[in-house]
Amino acid sequence: MSEKPIPKPTDSELEILQVLWQHGPSTVRFVNDQLSQKREVGYTTTLKILQLMLDKVLVLREDDSKTHVYRAAVREEETQGLLLDRFVDAAFGGSAMKLVMQALGTHSTSSDELAQIRGLLNEIEQQRRSTSNDKSDEPA
């Protein structure tokens, strides 16, 4: 049985998911207060978006108490991966290299960030070598 694909969250839904990922299960009031720190958001707007997210199964609601508590139904990493894949496909023709070249070419990258990128590239190369060696060890 295949899993249902994660629906693409809107920008407003993504803001709410960020709050839930960072703080865990939360009431509408708490989510609204967090969102209002960046820009004014009405309580009923936050409630309505959470209800729409519940319908899309982006969040789950606990109805045990008088106040409803919402929690993310999708994992942060999965959602980021989905959004990044769609973005790379749409904006860069599916080329991760074009994305990285654009990002590194237009933004000031610190020495520390470059070192982390080099470390990640080394890790990826080692994983590929390891996978390649594992396959060559298998009987034909």
Side-chain angles (χ1 to χ4, degrees):
M1 183 165 85
S2 65
E3 286 185 33
K4 187 176 178 182
I6 299 170
K8 181 181 176 188
T10 65
D11 290 345
S12 296
E13 291 169 344
L14 199 52
E15 281 182 293
I16 289 173
L17 284 170
Q18 289 289 345
V19 171
L20 296 174
W21 288 328
Q22 184 177 4
H23 298 282
S26 304
T27 64
V28 178
R29 173 64 56 208
F30 181 83
V31 171
N32 189 72
D33 290 347
Q34 294 298 307
L35 295 176
S36 292
Q37 290 179 7
K38 294 180 183 175
R39 63 181 171 82
E40 190 57 39
V41 181
Y43 177 87
T44 55
T45 300
T46 302
L47 175 60
K48 183 63 179 170
I49 294 170
L50 278 162
Q51 290 169 337
L52 292 170
M53 292 173 73
L54 183 65
D55 291 342
K56 291 169 76 173
V57 196
L58 288 170
V59 297
L60 300 173
R61 183 176 65 203
E62 298 168 16
D63 298 322
D64 298 341
S65 65
K66 191 168 92 171
T67 58
H68 293 161
V69 175
Y70 290 85
R71 65 180 171 92
V74 292
R75 290 188 19 240
E76 183 174 14
E77 297 79 15
E78 274 183 271
T79 305
Q80 289 170 339
L82 168 80
L83 294 173
L84 183 60
D85 288 347
R86 289 181 180 171
F87 176 71
V88 170
D89 285 344
F92 297 97
S95 172
M97 184 192 71
K98 286 181 182 179
L99 168 69
V100 171
M101 296 302 289
Q102 181 68 24
L104 293 177
T106 59
H107 298 300
S108 178
T109 309
S110 72
S111 296
D112 185 49
E113 289 172 323
L114 287 172
Q116 289 177 7
I117 291 168
R118 278 189 197 94
L120 178 61
L121 291 173
N122 290 339
E123 231 177 83
I124 292 169
E125 284 179 349
Q126 285 221 283
Q127 286 175 351
R128 289 196 177 153
R129 280 190 209 120
S130 174
T131 302
S132 174
N133 289 341
D134 290 348
K135 287 181 182 175
S136 65
D137 291 344
E138 292 176 2

